[in-house]
Amino acid sequence: MAISLRGLTKVYGTGAGAVKALDDITLEIPDGAIFGIIGQSGAGKSTLIRCVNLLERPSAGTVKVGEVDFTSLSGEALRQARKKVGMIFQSFNLLSRRTVFGNVALPLELAGWPKEDIRCRVAELLALVGLEGRRNHYPSQLSGGQKQRVGIARALANNPEVLLSDEATSALDPGTTRSILALLRDINEKLGLTILLITHEMQVVKEICHGVAVLEKGRIVEQGPVFDIFADPKERATRDMLGQDLDAELPESFAGLDFSREPLPGSDLVLRLRFFGDIAAEPVMCDLIRRFDLDVNILTAHIDHLRNMPYGTLVIGLSGEERQRQAALKALRALDLRVEVVGYVAKALRRAM
Ligand SMILES: Nc1ncnc2c1ncn2[C@@H]1O[C@H](COP(=O)(O)OP(=O)(O)OP(=O)(O)O)[C@@H](O)[C@H]1O
Ligand SMILES: [Mg+2]
């Protein structure tokens, strides 16, 4: 189910001590998407996700899940509507005195399911999350990753259409994080579940999200498809979040150089190319050299992965005839690449570095 937030605002407290944790958030999360919200500590991420299922009542604005306006509901109607929304937590929130079976069965018991149906459903859920053999274990006998699998099974018990995840992998090591993210992706594909996850880790967004919004001081400063945000972050907050992922910087030896917009005699034309998916850099470069009779100098190259798809940045210097360089630039722009002209820089200068 789609999630639609309109003008969502949350103020904690009143008077001088009031804190505006969310400020006019409008966001559409399409049905079936894995959507990430990323932000620094205190940005309002937990508040936002808790407002989606009305664990926190917004001060203003509306939350719609599918066609249902959650903000108009309360009491029993809200409790019923919430069954469509499962939630998992950083700290797992398992009951230590219940077994794995007992934890997963809890929401079904609360919903009044018959015992036999509960047994079947829990077995199915434990198989889905890969915990068949752990049915009678207690949380204290499980690893962090296994605990989160129990949390996921419990969240899915009532067949929700939406899964909310509040930093579900933040307490896990990188390997376990990957396996939990793979499970979430699997669930998204198998069950068509819409997943809204919040995180402060860019890696999480890179591995599984389709779309992402950047939250800063209660406001969304940037949002879009994950690739667009990675390839071309517009806002300072986004660049800060990307941190070392911002691989698109120029080589250090270029720091402090003056790039000219006009071709100086004997200068290199420096281009930054960003590609996504199957465009392989090598044939593109060979083609430039061959077709346009240019020297192509690769200054930096970096390849990473988004949802298993390669993406990368290449900074190249072209030297040769200006007319040929412009023709090459045009050819590059026709490809499935983002091309940015950094500028012209004197060759002699670069050689001196
Ligand atoms: N129950 C509350 N009462 C008063 N202020 C609160 C409450 N919960 C959160 N806040 C404030 O709202 C702001 C946003 O907090 P929130 O927990 O949503 O941030 P967060 O992005 O989840 O941070 P973190 O990454 O540290 O979990 C913070 O300034 C916080 O102090
Ligand atoms: Mg939080």
Side-chain angles (χ1 to χ4, degrees):
M1 275 183 179
I3 303 170
S4 166
L5 311 177
R6 298 236 161 262
L8 197 65
T9 298
K10 175 72 191 182
V11 182
Y12 290 110
T14 52
V19 176
K20 201 178 227 180
L22 296 178
D23 187 1
D24 197 17
I25 303 280
T26 292
L27 198 57
E28 296 291 332
I29 296 153
D31 184 22
I34 305 182
F35 195 92
I37 292 178
I38 188 159
Q40 313 274 12
S41 183
K45 304 182 298 295
S46 296
T47 303
L48 176 60
I49 211 157
R50 290 167 61 81
C51 279
V52 172
N53 58 4
L54 273 276
L55 281 179
E56 206 70 74
R57 191 161 276 280
S59 312
T62 56
V63 175
K64 271 173 83 178
V65 178
E67 289 307 306
V68 181
D69 179 357
F70 272 39
T71 25
S72 70
L73 304 177
S74 60
E76 184 55 23
L78 180 58
R79 258 194 299 285
Q80 285 304 325
R82 268 200 197 120
K83 285 189 183 162
K84 291 280 160 231
V85 183
M87 186 159 179
I88 54 176
F89 307 87
Q90 176 174 3
S91 49
F92 321 120
N93 293 9
L94 302 181
L95 297 176
S96 59
R97 307 186 63 170
R98 279 188 166 228
T99 60
V100 167
F101 179 93
N103 270 283
V104 178
L106 186 65
L108 302 173
E109 289 169 15
L110 293 176
W113 284 43
K115 268 211 162 71
E116 194 46 40
D117 292 356
I118 292 181
R119 232 193 305 278
C120 285
R121 177 72 181 139
V122 173
E124 197 175 282
L125 289 161
L126 293 182
L128 179 69
V129 301
L131 281 184
E132 294 97 329
R134 305 279 161 172
R135 187 180 183 283
N136 298 318
H137 285 61
Y138 285 89
S140 61
Q141 300 171 302
L142 301 175
S143 69
Q146 290 167 336
K147 285 183 203 167
Q148 195 54 285
R149 284 171 191 271
V150 177
I152 292 171
R154 181 183 56 190
L156 297 178
N158 275 315
N159 271 315
E161 307 256 2
V162 167
L163 181 66
L164 306 178
S165 165
D166 187 348
E167 303 271 8
T169 57
S170 298
L172 306 175
D173 63 61
T176 311
T177 292
R178 269 197 298 280
S179 79
I180 293 294
L181 294 178
L183 175 61
L184 291 178
R185 181 157 50 198
D186 193 42
I187 288 166
N188 166 257
E189 284 166 8
K190 262 195 202 143
L191 309 178
L193 207 70
T194 305
I195 301 180
L196 174 59
L197 61 85
I198 63 169
T199 181
H200 62 274
E201 295 170 301
M202 219 61 216
Q203 196 55 36
V204 169
V205 172
K206 274 164 65 172
E207 285 208 24
I208 65 166
C209 291
H210 304 107
V212 62
V214 182
L215 194 64
E216 188 189 36
K217 299 195 184 102
R219 299 186 72 96
I220 288 178
V221 293
E222 192 161 0
Q223 62 168 304
V226 170
F227 175 64
D228 290 1
I229 303 288
F230 271 85
D232 197 12
K234 299 266 185 304
E235 298 296 323
R236 163 115 219 167
T238 314
R239 288 172 179 272
D240 288 348
M241 288 302 316
L242 291 172
Q244 74 273 26
D245 285 313
L246 238 185
D247 46 65
E249 292 308 330
L250 295 174
E252 253 171 51
S253 56
F254 276 71
L257 288 190
D258 276 336
F259 286 95
S260 157
R261 304 308 299 171
E262 301 299 326
L264 311 163
S267 60
D268 273 358
L269 171 58
V270 177
L271 304 176
R272 178 156 38 197
L273 312 176
R274 295 174 219 210
F275 59 94
F276 187 46
D278 291 332
I279 280 244
E282 205 181 327
V284 172
M285 293 310 123
C286 290
D287 192 50
L288 287 187
I289 295 169
R290 197 166 41 77
R291 275 173 64 200
F292 302 100
D293 190 28
L294 293 171
D295 276 342
V296 180
N297 226 329
I298 297 187
L299 304 170
T300 53
H302 182 97
I303 297 189
D304 206 333
H305 288 82
L306 285 176
R307 292 179 56 86
N308 295 332
M309 287 273 270
Y311 83 103
T313 306
L314 215 53
V315 180
I316 60 174
L318 300 181
S319 54
E321 250 185 68
E322 179 57 12
R323 197 166 46 84
Q324 293 294 74
R325 291 196 292 202
Q326 289 303 323
L329 186 55
K330 202 168 157 203
L332 284 171
R333 288 205 157 117
L335 296 174
D336 204 5
L337 285 173
R338 279 171 202 234
V339 184
E340 184 193 335
V341 175
V342 179
Y344 294 88
V345 68
K347 239 191 221 148
L349 248 181
R350 187 160 58 78
R351 287 229 179 88
M353 290 281 132

